[in-house]
């Protein structure tokens, strides 16, 4: 059987979580934290003999340099033993530790998917604004170390937009607002091509919401074991947070009816096994508010996310703007926060309407044009839309022709991966 007849492997590596699976599936087989735990003393001894030689080891049925773990297993190992060092290979959407990244992929392929990389085409993802040399490194690792027959590196938001492919109305023009764990990007796409010059970054993502909630709980003096506080803040965020329409009103509601709005977190102290409680109040709406009033979190930045989305669309060509406002698509785990879509849509609409009113005030009623439709689209698979889009694209015949192949790599080298076909006019 040819590699192209087998389903492609689809891996979306995120700052927080990696989604791993096969093309054609509706959801990833695994969603695991992007973290590696390495027993440093062990790996120093075996360096050179093990890493980089995965295929030979795999084929020989021995895995010499395997004292490392990834995902939840890595976190568990590091908690129970001090010999493991944790490494998070992706920071703010970009790989910053290639050694760890390679180990991570090794385990994804051999231990999680349990497949032979020589037998499958691969679709990997990258954050927008990834430097071309990073794509080259990825290509080198995939072709040299894992010997894959073909590789496509998709741009995350474009894949998220392609996730709509299977719905009745396929729209490849839109703005993707991807709010993950470590990076937020607002990316306009016209007919499948990223409008490179208009991509905007926003300096706040899911990790910041967790940190802010952790800080609020600490400042209020909630008692919890310090080593647990980050994880508890994350769980509280995912379980209890919502986006309010107006924080002043929300304070009022909480104060009038605390029993209705306050929640309780109950945990077990890992060292003693004793239970502990923690009250959750204003954090529920203040956490997500940092996207809409960032100055409550950081004094370095005060432009709200809806204003950045608006300026992203305004910086695109005038004849695509209406189509972009009409299809603002959410992607990334953080957009799962309750009512995030409603608030984003309302605030972008407010900005658009205010601009229209200002223009009428300046030029008179007769310049008034058609109202602009603002539509923020949410869908049930937002948290893994990028992976799903990859799964759909990698089933199309075009995928195989868009892939860089092993033969091309051998002829021209890693530089073939530098260019990314969807970045119209950028390279
Ligand atoms: N229901 C939820 N409510 C709020 N936040 C959530 C929810 N579910 C997941 N998250 C958060 O979403 C983030 C993970 O999202 P995602 O998997 O899209 O990020 P990533 O791809 O790892 O990171 P990035 O795209 O920034 O590199 C985490 O911060 C997680 O806590
Ligand atoms: Mg992501």
């Amino acid at each position: 059987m040819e590699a192209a007849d087998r389903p492609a492997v689809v891996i979306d590596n995120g700052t927080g979580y990696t989604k791993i699976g096969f093309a054609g599936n509706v959801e990833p087989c695994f969603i695991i934290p992007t973290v590696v735990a390495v027993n440093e003393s062990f790996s120093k001894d075996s360096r050179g003999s093990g890493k980089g030689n995965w295929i030979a080891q795999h084929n020989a049925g021995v895995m010499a340099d395997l004292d490392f773990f990834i995902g939840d297993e890595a976190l568990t190992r590091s908690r129970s033993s001090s010999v493991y060092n944790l490494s998070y290979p992706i920071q703010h959407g970009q790989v910053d530790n290639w050694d760890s990244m390679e180990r991570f992929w090794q385990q994804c392929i051999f231990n999680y998917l349990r497949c032979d990389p020589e037998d499958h085409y691969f679709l990997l993802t990258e954050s927008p604004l990834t430097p071309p040399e990073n794509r080259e490194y990825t290509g080198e690792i995939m072709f040299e170390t894992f010997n894959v027959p073909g590789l496509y590196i998709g741009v995350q938001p474009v894949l998220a937009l392609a996730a709509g492919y299977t719905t009745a109305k396929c729209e490849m023009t839109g703005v993707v607002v991807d709010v993950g764990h470590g990076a937020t990007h607002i990316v306009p796409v016209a007919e499948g091509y990223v409008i490179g010059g208009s991509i905007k970054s926003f300096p706040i993502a899911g990790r910041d919401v967790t940190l802010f909630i952790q800080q609020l709980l600490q400042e209020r003096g909630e008692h919890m074991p310090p080593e647990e506080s980050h994880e508890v803040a994350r769980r509280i965020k995912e379980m209890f947070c919502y986006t309010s329409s107006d924080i002043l009103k929300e304070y009022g509601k909480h104060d009038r009816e605390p029993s209705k709005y306050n929640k309780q977190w109950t945990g077990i102290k890992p060292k003693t096994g004793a239970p502990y409680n923690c009250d959750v109040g204003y954090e529920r709406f203040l956490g997500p508010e940092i996207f809409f009033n960032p100055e409550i979190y950081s004094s370095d930045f005060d432009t709200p996310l809806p204003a950045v989305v608006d300026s992203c669309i305004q910086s695109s060509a005038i004849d695509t703007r209406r189509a972009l406002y009409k299809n603002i698509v959410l992607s990334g785990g953080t957009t799962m926060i309750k009512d995030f879509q409603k608030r984003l849509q309302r605030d972008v609409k407010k900005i658009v309407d205010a601009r229209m009113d200002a223009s009428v005030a300046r030029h008179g009623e007769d310049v008034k044009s058609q109202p602009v439709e603002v539509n923020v689209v949410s869908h049930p698979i937002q948290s893994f839309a990028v992976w799903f889009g990859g799964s759909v694209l990698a089933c199309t015949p075009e995928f195989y022709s868009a892939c860089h192949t092993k033969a091309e790599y051998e002829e021209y080298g890693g530089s073939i991966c530098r260019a990314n076909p969807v970045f119209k006019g950028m390279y």
Side-chain angles (χ1 to χ4, degrees):
M1 200 196 247
E2 293 291 309
D5 299 328
R6 297 193 181 90
V9 167
V10 178
I11 303 180
D12 171 29
N13 288 115
T15 312
Y17 295 86
T18 291
K19 298 85 180 166
I20 315 164
F22 290 104
N25 289 355
V26 289
E27 54 185 70
C29 306
F30 304 97
I31 299 182
I32 58 168
T34 310
V35 59
V36 184
V38 184
N39 179 344
E40 285 300 340
S41 58
F42 188 97
S43 77
K44 267 181 206 119
D45 297 342
S46 59
R47 180 140 300 188
S49 62
K51 201 187 74 55
N53 211 355
W54 310 122
I55 302 229
Q57 289 180 37
H58 176 71
N59 291 344
V62 285
M63 287 294 213
D65 181 22
L66 269 196
D67 203 10
F68 68 94
F69 299 89
I70 66 167
D72 295 305
E73 217 181 337
L75 298 173
T76 315
R77 293 275 166 168
S78 86
R79 250 180 247 128
S80 60
S81 160
S82 60
V83 302
Y84 291 98
N85 280 343
L86 287 183
S87 158
Y88 293 84
I90 302 186
Q91 296 293 333
H92 301 293
Q94 307 287 348
V95 177
D96 87 342
N97 184 332
W98 289 96
D99 219 32
S100 294
M101 196 68 237
E102 187 178 322
R103 287 172 190 277
F104 189 84
W105 280 326
Q106 191 275 338
Q107 291 260 339
C108 289
I109 297 166
F110 293 117
N111 236 5
Y112 282 75
L113 293 176
R114 294 183 175 275
C115 68
D116 188 336
E118 296 178 341
D119 288 344
H120 297 263
Y121 277 60
F122 272 63
L123 185 147
L124 301 182
T125 73
E126 66 174 19
S127 176
L129 307 175
T130 297
E133 48 275 25
N134 283 26
R135 283 201 284 283
E136 199 169 328
Y137 290 145
T138 302
E140 271 172 31
I141 295 176
M142 285 294 142
F143 286 117
E144 305 253 344
T145 309
F146 296 113
N147 212 19
V148 302
L151 171 68
Y152 182 81
I153 305 173
V155 183
Q156 287 157 2
V158 179
L159 295 176
L161 205 55
Y165 251 4
T166 50
T167 63
K169 200 170 107 279
C170 160
E171 196 55 85
M172 280 307 280
T173 297
V175 179
V176 179
V177 180
D178 187 5
V179 193
H181 185 65
T184 294
H185 288 106
I186 301 101
V187 181
V189 181
E191 286 156 23
Y193 289 94
V194 170
I195 307 171
S198 298
I199 297 173
K200 304 264 185 240
S201 302
F202 185 75
I204 291 171
R207 185 168 176 272
D208 299 283
V209 181
T210 303
L211 289 173
F212 189 51
I213 290 172
Q214 185 183 15
Q215 181 193 330
L216 291 172
L217 293 171
Q218 267 162 4
E219 280 171 6
R220 232 204 12 246
E222 289 297 335
H223 294 293
M224 65 178 86
E227 69 276 18
E228 290 266 286
S229 69
H230 188 80
E231 182 58 11
V232 169
R234 180 184 69 81
R235 302 276 296 278
I236 285 175
K237 171 184 79 170
E238 292 178 8
M239 284 170 73
F240 300 132
C241 275
Y242 62 91
T243 313
S244 72
S245 57
D246 177 329
I247 47 171
L248 289 182
K249 276 195 196 145
E250 214 57 35
Y251 273 119
K253 282 203 248 172
H254 275 244
D255 292 345
R256 274 193 305 277
E257 282 183 281
S259 59
K260 181 170 170 193
Y261 290 98
N262 285 357
K263 299 280 177 195
Q264 276 255 317
W265 168 266
T266 309
I268 307 274
K269 293 184 179 167
K271 283 187 188 141
T272 60
Y276 66 91
N277 287 324
C278 162
D279 288 328
V280 187
Y282 302 146
E283 299 74 23
R284 295 186 63 200
F285 61 91
L286 285 178
E289 191 63 26
I290 65 177
F291 291 104
F292 302 95
N293 279 300
E295 65 281 0
I296 63 171
Y297 174 61
S298 159
S299 56
D300 299 339
F301 193 75
D302 62 4
T303 312
L305 178 64
V308 180
V309 173
D310 180 72
S311 79
C312 164
I313 299 177
Q314 287 293 314
S315 69
S316 308
I318 195 159
D319 57 341
T320 55
R321 286 183 203 161
R322 275 179 187 272
L324 295 176
Y325 279 119
K326 207 170 157 181
N327 194 32
I328 302 171
V329 176
L330 298 180
S331 152
T334 303
T335 62
M336 301 293 284
I337 297 173
K338 188 171 175 291
D339 291 339
F340 186 89
Q341 175 267 348
K342 250 190 186 161
R343 174 78 179 271
L344 185 61
Q345 172 157 312
R346 187 200 67 180
D347 287 7
V348 174
K349 178 95 180 107
K350 262 190 192 167
I351 299 171
V352 170
D353 289 348
R355 185 179 299 112
M356 189 85 92
D357 291 347
S359 155
V360 170
R362 266 200 314 277
H363 306 291
E365 264 308 317
D366 35 326
V367 298
K368 193 164 181 178
S369 53
Q370 287 285 314
V372 175
E373 189 184 333
V374 175
N375 210 2
V376 178
V377 183
S378 76
H379 50 85
I381 55 154
Q382 258 156 240
S383 62
F384 58 87
V386 172
W387 184 90
F388 182 73
S391 167
V392 170
L393 276 194
C395 284
T396 63
E398 295 80 42
F399 166 72
Y400 290 93
S401 50
C403 273
H404 304 297
T405 62
K406 173 88 178 153
E408 282 166 7
Y409 177 82
E410 275 163 2
E411 189 166 351
Y412 304 107
S415 60
I416 54 164
C417 301
R418 283 188 160 241
N420 193 321
V422 296
F423 276 73
K424 200 183 203 173
M426 275 188 87
Y427 300 107

